[in-house]
Amino acid sequence: MDLFSHSWTALRAAVAGLPDEDYAKPSGCAGWLVRDLVCHLVIDAQDVLITLVTPADAEPTVDAVTYWKTGDRPPTGDDPLDALIVRLAAAYEDPRLLAFHLDDVGSAAGRAAGLADPGARVSTQGEVLTAGDYLTAYVLEWTLHHLDLIAHLPEVPGPPAEALAHSRAALERIAGAAFPASFTDTDALLVGTGRRAPTRAEEGALGGLGARLPLVLG
């Protein structure tokens, strides 16, 4: 629960510090500018709020790791939902309005997470899991999108080290194998999710795991 708050606060602070011109720069998400990514974070924050007030009586069907479904085709930005995000982001026109909306909804999501009972069962996307597992799963979401945010903005602070380490461990559990020790946490996340191609040396170090990458999370 604390790591959810820490990683989410760091991501929102990074967005809050962006000058207006950075919103028109590319992000690490294919087909999305920074403004599109920030708009997606607004939707994410809404999802957190909705899920935390959607109780479930059934036994959990997933946990913080199995919550994630994997594919092998990285997004191109052409998906209808991705295209909708682009149109929504453009409708804000003034980047400050988008930043305000993220701060407003994002702060509420953070407060709701802090008040949530970790053992309470919630429902989302047809699955049931504890609120604690749901919020733990979102640490990976925040960390990956924080890396997307700074992909072309090297002066912007990156994710907290503990969020990177946690997210690497989560991705390794999803993959069912550990990344080579020579990979930094950031490299493991970027290469593991297809956000960048491995170098020749990294391909050799990955061995058999490389054939199972990228892990496209959804």
Side-chain angles (χ1 to χ4, degrees), residues 195-213:
R195 282 167 164 80
R196 77 163 175 83
T199 65
R200 184 169 298 180
E202 287 172 337
E203 284 182 343
L206 283 167
L209 176 58
R212 290 150 55 190
L213 302 179

Side-chain angles (χ1 to χ4, degrees), residues 2-16 106 110 142 146 160:
D2 289 343
L3 194 51
F4 172 95
S5 176
H6 190 31
S7 57
W8 184 221
T9 299
L11 177 51
R12 286 167 39 228
V15 172
W142 300 148
H146 201 146

Side-chain angles (χ1 to χ4, degrees), residues 28-31 70-79 82 148 190-198 212-218:
C29 294
T70 61
D72 57 4
R73 295 185 180 181
T76 62
D78 297 327
D79 179 89
D82 291 345
D148 292 330
L190 294 178
V191 172
T193 60
R195 282 167 164 80
R196 77 163 175 83
R212 290 150 55 190
L213 302 179
L215 297 170
V216 181
L217 305 181

